[in-house]
Amino acid sequence: MRAEVWIFAICTFFFVLVTPAYWFVTDSSDEGPEWTGTAALVMTALLAAMVTMYLAVQARKLDDRPEDLKDAEIADGAGELGFFPPYSWWPLWCAMTFGVLVLGVIFGWWLFLIGMGLGVLALSGWVFEYYRGVHAH
Amino acid sequence: MAPVATVSAAIPASRLRGQHGRPDMVSVGTIIWLSSELMFFAALFAAYFTIRAAEVDLWAQETTHLNVPFAAANTTILVLSSFTCQMGVFAAERSAAKGGPKVGRSGSLLQVGEWGMREWFILTYLMGAVFMAGQALEYTELVHAGLTMQSSAYGSMFYLTTGFHGIHVAGGLIAFLLVLGRTYLARRFTHEQAVSAIVVSYYWHFVDVVWIGLFATIYLIM
């Protein structure tokens, strides 16, 4: 995963250089310093730094993946990639109860409280779906 | 009479042990989502600084309402909660050589060294809740001082930035409860539960760092 780390490290380096440059260039103009763009650039630098850090930690923890090896075969990447639930109705209930919550902000807090109660059920249903019944383990 | 068999589905290996040699998809997805969250807060920071540059007098007048020592104490609680959260992750990630993941404590509640993931996460939850209570107290005082969302551009920016952050803290508290719920529902501690705990810690650290930025912006730079 070192290739990915390098790509984001180079981006971080770029934004760390560009952000103060942007500030000083706009500061010397007639309109004065430009806060909007500087704030956005600072956060973009932090974004690139965050992804670099995550990838660096993962690269250190894990062995090289098939895509990191020059002599890997396609078949080396085969196998279970992760757990993907075949289907679930719970996201629908979560979305609907979220709708009730938002309407509650408009129409009154009594509706918001009803939405909270339904939301606890819907969210628990979703998060614990594969921990109950035949999936209990 | 046919023998009664208990029905149970096979648990996929990716849930129990994870996939060898790959970052877990849930953690990759969390980082991508946190990147978009970071840009969401970038918009709030940009808005704050832009309006501040245009309304210098308003800022000088309204920032006098802020109770900086109180906010500093509240910030300390949130920053410390990030450390307790990480202690919980260390317990959940403990290597097999040291006895494997430590979900619950092995000593009494007072033996902090023997705490497992649950105890550390519950402590983190309580610290997050104290932070939110402090925030509510601060809002009450500011509203009494006449600073509301509608009162001025400063009020709008203050409540938008700290309010959106507060909603994120509340979301983190709910996430801690759900992770704890999973460890209590399942009889064994799986890879999936460890990853849930780790991604919630990513989120919590993120919310914590954003608050440090907001604290510096609102209470220190003003």
Side-chain angles (χ1 to χ4, degrees):
Chain A
M1 293 198 25
R2 284 173 190 37
E4 288 100 321
V5 179
W6 274 111
I7 291 170
F8 280 95
I10 291 166
C11 290
T12 311
F13 184 67
F14 172 77
F15 287 118
V16 166
L17 287 182
V18 159
T19 307
Y22 184 81
W23 171 263
F24 288 119
V25 168
T26 55
D27 193 27
S28 60
S29 71
D30 296 336
E31 284 91 22
E34 214 268 313
W35 286 94
T36 321
T38 310
L41 279 170
V42 168
M43 296 301 267
T44 311
L46 289 174
L47 191 162
M50 179 178 81
V51 178
T52 311
M53 259 166 55
Y54 169 74
L55 290 172
V57 168
Q58 295 291 329
R60 212 158 39 140
K61 258 197 237 170
L62 301 170
D63 300 330
D64 281 344
R65 300 162 304 164
E67 46 264 57
D68 298 322
L69 303 170
K70 285 220 161 41
D71 56 351
E73 300 289 340
I74 297 293
D76 297 343
E80 220 180 296
L81 289 178
F83 176 59
F84 302 96
Y87 67 86
S88 174
W89 284 105
W90 288 109
L92 176 72
W93 299 119
C94 280
M96 283 169 79
T97 48
F98 189 71
V100 173
L101 284 176
V102 175
L103 287 175
V105 175
I106 301 167
F107 291 119
W109 294 101
W110 58 272
L111 188 59
F112 188 85
L113 289 176
I114 293 172
M116 291 266 281
L118 294 172
V120 169
L121 287 178
L123 193 59
S124 305
W126 193 359
V127 172
F128 301 134
E129 182 171 17
Y130 288 91
Y131 285 80
R132 301 182 307 136
V134 294
H135 301 285
H137 54 278
Chain B
M1 210 175 97
V4 180
T6 47
V7 183
S8 69
I11 309 296
S14 58
R15 294 184 69 194
L16 294 177
R17 290 180 295 277
Q19 169 82 349
H20 176 72
R22 292 186 173 279
D24 198 279
M25 290 222 181
V26 176
S27 82
V28 176
T30 304
I31 291 294
I32 294 171
W33 173 63
L34 286 181
S35 303
S36 82
E37 286 274 272
L38 206 137
M39 283 296 106
F40 172 79
F41 279 103
L44 289 177
F45 276 108
Y48 181 92
F49 280 113
T50 307
I51 299 174
R52 173 176 170 268
E55 299 272 1
V56 179
D57 297 337
L58 178 71
W59 248 247
Q61 170 199 328
E62 296 290 327
T63 48
T64 53
H65 294 305
L66 296 176
N67 186 347
V68 181
F70 181 82
N74 220 10
T75 303
T76 312
I77 293 171
L78 193 68
V79 172
L80 288 177
S81 80
S82 234
F83 286 96
T84 60
C85 175
Q86 195 56 37
M87 291 302 289
V89 170
F90 287 150
E93 276 188 323
R94 203 169 66 163
S95 64
K98 288 181 180 165
K102 194 175 172 68
V103 186
R105 66 191 149 88
S106 51
S108 83
L109 199 57
L110 296 173
Q111 290 171 283
V112 178
E114 298 298 316
W115 278 12
M117 187 197 104
R118 283 176 186 152
E119 286 74 27
W120 285 114
F121 271 22
I122 291 169
L123 177 63
T124 311
Y125 179 91
L126 292 175
M127 291 167 88
V130 168
F131 173 84
M132 290 217 44
Q135 192 89 311
L137 195 66
E138 198 183 4
Y139 276 13
T140 323
E141 280 180 358
L142 288 173
V143 168
H144 281 300
L147 183 71
T148 65
M149 198 126 168
Q150 297 94 330
S151 69
S152 68
Y154 179 79
S156 302
M157 275 330 293
F158 176 84
Y159 288 110
L160 270 181
T161 50
T162 59
F164 269 118
H165 179 269
I167 291 173
H168 280 80
V169 174
L173 294 182
I174 293 169
F176 276 119
L177 288 185
L178 293 172
V179 167
L180 286 166
R182 279 186 165 182
T183 73
Y184 285 112
L185 262 183
R187 278 189 299 278
R188 50 184 155 162
F189 190 69
T190 58
H191 172 77
E192 184 178 80
Q193 291 169 53
V195 170
S196 318
I198 291 164
V199 297
V200 169
S201 85
Y202 286 168
Y203 176 76
W204 195 251
H205 295 324
F206 170 83
V207 168
D208 192 41
V209 170
V210 166
W211 179 256
I212 293 172
L214 278 177
F215 177 74
T217 301
I218 294 172
Y219 296 91
L220 301 181
I221 302 172
M222 286 190 171

